[in-house]
Amino acid sequence: MSGKHRKVAYYPGCALEETGHAYNRSTKELGKALGLELVELENWNCCGAMEVKNLDPKLQTYLSARNLAIAGKMGFDTVMAPCNGCYHNLKKAEYDLGHDAGSREVVERLSQKAGHETYEAGGVSTIHALDWIKEAIGEDGLKNRVENSLKGLKIANYYGCMYTRPRHIFPEKDKGPGSESTSKPHFMDDLLAAAGADCVEFPLRTACCGGAHTLSDSDISTKLVLNLLTTAEACGAEVIATECPTCHTGLEMHQVRAEKVFGRKTRVKILYFTQLLGMALGLSARRVGVQENLSDASDLLRQKGLG
Amino acid sequence: MPIHEKSLIRPENLAIHEDLTIEGVDVSGHWSTFIKSRAVTDYNEAMEQEIAALPGGEYIHRCWQCGSCTNSCTVNAVNPDFNPRYWIYLIRLGMEEELLRDKDIVWQCVSCNKCTYACPRDVNPEGVMKATAHWLELKGHTDQKPSMAFDEIFSAQVFATGKIEEGRIIRQFFARTGQSLFQDWLLALARGLAKRLPVGLLARLGFAALFRPRTSGWGRAQAAMAEYLGEQQAARRSALGIEEGAKR
Ligand code: SF4
Ligand code: SF4
């Protein structure tokens, strides 16, 4: 254990208050079980997801800058965001404000008019929930605390788009051994393997689930998700582990839609990595919100003696 | 030379000789497919600059046509007509008529950024797709596409309250695009949820409008953003030569 990230600012984001509630619950429970403290950002706002940028990218930068300024004001230098969309937008704001005078100008103007401090580039840095566990506890730390090993549960780890692309906004990635890779991310594989899972080789780990058009172009989303689900099954996975509420809900929704609209049934279950780690630490399935998932994994978990 | 991406050539411009011998060599069938020569005179020379004036389109001039974007593209794998490399080519040359053939699929870009990751020239092809979709809409070549309607409904709620409420967005989006909330698969989802979820969370998901998330003291931020967005939109309309007051 490194002593890093023992206490960080927590930015749940909108999705974690609604469809991604199970992710919120399991992240908090996991933190508690590991003795890591999360302090929620006060009066945070939506990061703009994948939508506001299409009206104006600098407005989206402002939305994240406001959240980063709040973290700074609360005395934190690190903010942890479990949602890929939030994480991506905060990282992008950090990058743009460090590199683009035009973005700085707009953020300064809007922050002044809105009446709050302006975020200064470099003041606060963003980490993902995966970085948080990996750096605060690490694989060895986890191994020592596993109470209920995942016992070779076959897992395909799905990272999606926003965790690694575009690469320039993630300056800490691709820095050799120990760092995360943008072409073949592995932090989730590392952590779940430490908890006893058998992580299968899953080539679509950073493929797209069509999350941006989940509702506006449902057929494409269903095709993309179906491809992920069938490939995961072909790789031998019983579970797809996720680390983003949009991907997670997209996979669940389109698994149902693929069956109802295209008549293609798949059996692979979808669980947040925080739920899996929580259960490995001995938390019950209920504590980590398995009943809140659309994808009903209870039978499989019982069969494996988990939860 | 065999023709790559033959799908990009209109069938009427392809000349295939079923029976052709040149200098004693039989070049019938596949080897005798030619593109008919043609003269293009109606270039829209303003098109590249206009798209470059919209957010995301700024770096289109850097493109050297390597094709890495199309090669890595998520939507291209599902629909081969979705071809960022080709559209950038058409835009840079000003071949508006050819671009308009694909006007109804440009919006389908899912913003996965595979292209941006692969592009060796930092063109930001994902941004170019968004700028092009906006250009098509602002110029009146297309109606508002579902994804743009979704962006607007979503953003309006962020601007108004600082947060979003998914259930409300979904209801508004389905209403605006004329879809029923009572589709088989949605009902199946709702039934599955209702079996297991606590009532409080169901309510939050918008099956009842009890929970209204909002950021407090948001009014000043809202006003500042509205003012800024208004200025930007006016600047974009003027860059595209669209008269003030004209709605889309
Ligand atoms: S990858 Fe970049 S340089 Fe290559 S064709 Fe696409 S936009 Fe142009
Ligand atoms: S961002 Fe759009 S254009 Fe680029 S690869 Fe993804 S779907 Fe294709």
Side-chain angles (χ1 to χ4, degrees), chain A:
Chain A
M1 204 191 309
S2 66
K4 222 176 156 186
H5 307 324
R6 312 285 326 158
K7 182 175 175 182
V8 294
Y10 178 48
Y11 176 52
C14 304
L16 266 68
E17 294 203 324
E18 301 186 22
T19 45
H21 192 260
Y23 195 20
N24 198 358
R25 172 193 280 276
S26 53
T27 299
K28 288 182 180 167
E29 290 290 344
L30 183 60
K32 244 189 263 167
L34 292 169
L36 303 174
E37 196 179 341
L38 294 176
V39 183
E40 187 164 330
L41 280 189
E42 287 159 12
N43 200 28
W44 51 265
N45 56 270
C46 170
C47 73
M50 311 196 56
E51 281 78 15
V52 172
K53 78 169 179 51
N54 295 335
L55 268 69
D56 190 278
K58 292 197 175 74
L59 276 185
Q60 181 132 326
T61 307
Y62 163 71
L63 291 172
S64 286
R66 183 182 176 277
N67 289 323
L68 290 167
I70 293 172
K73 205 174 164 203
M74 288 170 67
F76 288 98
D77 60 7
T78 305
V79 56
M80 187 277 275
C83 166
N84 272 0
C86 299
Y87 165 72
H88 176 276
N89 285 336
L90 290 165
K91 295 293 279 184
K92 181 159 192 309
E94 281 179 43
Y95 180 87
D96 285 353
L97 293 170
H99 293 82
D100 173 38
S103 299
R104 274 198 294 272
E105 212 174 285
V106 171
V107 165
E108 203 172 283
R109 170 182 149 183
L110 293 175
S111 303
Q112 272 166 16
K113 289 203 172 175
H116 58 79
E117 264 120 280
T118 305
Y119 166 75
E120 297 291 343
V124 177
S125 48
T126 309
I127 58 168
H128 191 273
L130 284 170
D131 302 315
W132 176 56
I133 302 295
K134 175 98 174 171
E135 286 163 16
I137 306 294
E139 292 94 305
D140 291 339
L142 265 180
K143 269 184 207 148
N144 293 335
R145 290 158 194 251
V146 167
E147 305 241 326
N148 193 7
S149 158
L150 296 177
K151 297 179 208 75
L153 184 68
K154 292 206 180 322
I155 299 182
N157 291 283
Y158 177 57
Y159 298 82
C161 299
M162 318 273 278
Y163 177 70
T164 55
R165 288 191 296 271
R167 78 183 109 197
H168 67 265
I169 66 172
F170 306 108
E172 72 286 2
K173 291 182 180 162
D174 297 326
K175 288 281 180 287
S179 73
E180 184 58 300
S181 156
T182 60
S183 56
K184 195 182 176 195
H186 51 81
F187 277 14
M188 191 157 44
D189 293 69
D190 299 347
L191 294 174
L192 290 171
D198 177 6
C199 296
V200 305
E201 185 59 40
F202 182 48
L204 299 184
R205 58 184 63 214
T206 69
C208 180
C209 70
H213 290 176
T214 274
L215 292 170
S216 47
D217 201 1
S218 307
D219 282 351
I220 284 204
S221 297
T222 303
K223 277 184 204 155
L224 295 174
V225 168
L226 190 56
N227 193 24
L228 289 165
L229 300 171
T230 49
T231 305
E233 288 186 350
C235 294
E238 299 161 286
V239 166
I240 296 180
T242 57
E243 38 88 304
C244 168
T246 310
C247 299
H248 183 98
T249 312
L251 260 56
E252 290 184 319
M253 275 175 49
H254 289 282
Q255 185 170 38
V256 173
R257 194 170 184 276
E259 187 182 342
K260 292 276 162 195
V261 180
F262 295 164
R264 295 285 304 275
K265 187 170 167 62
T266 44
R267 287 154 295 110
V268 63
K269 302 298 174 198
I270 301 141
L271 289 159
Y272 288 107
F273 87 96
T274 42
Q275 294 180 312
L276 290 159
L277 287 184
M279 288 185 283
L281 295 180
L283 300 176
S284 70
R286 187 154 277 276
R287 275 287 274 289
V288 294
V290 168
Q291 74 286 359
E292 292 177 4
N293 291 352
L294 291 174
S295 162
D296 189 355
S298 43
D299 287 348
L300 173 72
L301 294 174
R302 255 195 306 277
Q303 204 185 307
K304 295 275 168 184
L306 290 162

Side-chain angles (χ1 to χ4, degrees), chain A residues 95 168, chain B residues 48 52 56-66 88 92 116 119-125 128:
Chain A
Y95 180 87
H168 67 265
Chain B
E48 181 182 3
E58 296 89 345
Y59 304 117
I60 187 171
H61 62 279
R62 291 179 181 167
C63 176
W64 61 17
Q65 287 292 303
C66 69
I88 292 172
R92 297 207 59 207
T116 310
C119 177
R121 295 280 296 157
D122 282 348
V123 169
N124 183 14
V128 174

Side-chain angles (χ1 to χ4, degrees), chain A residues 161 165 208 224, chain B residues 68-77 82-85 87 106 108-117 124-130:
Chain A
C161 299
R165 288 191 296 271
C208 180
L224 295 174
Chain B
S68 301
C69 48
T70 298
N71 218 8
S72 59
C73 177
T74 298
V75 179
N76 178 265
F82 188 99
N83 192 334
R85 196 268 320 147
W87 293 333
V106 177
Q108 289 183 310
C109 162
V110 289
S111 292
C112 68
N113 270 317
K114 289 214 162 194
C115 52
T116 310
Y117 188 96
N124 183 14
E126 184 268 345
V128 174
M129 291 307 104
K130 295 294 160 198

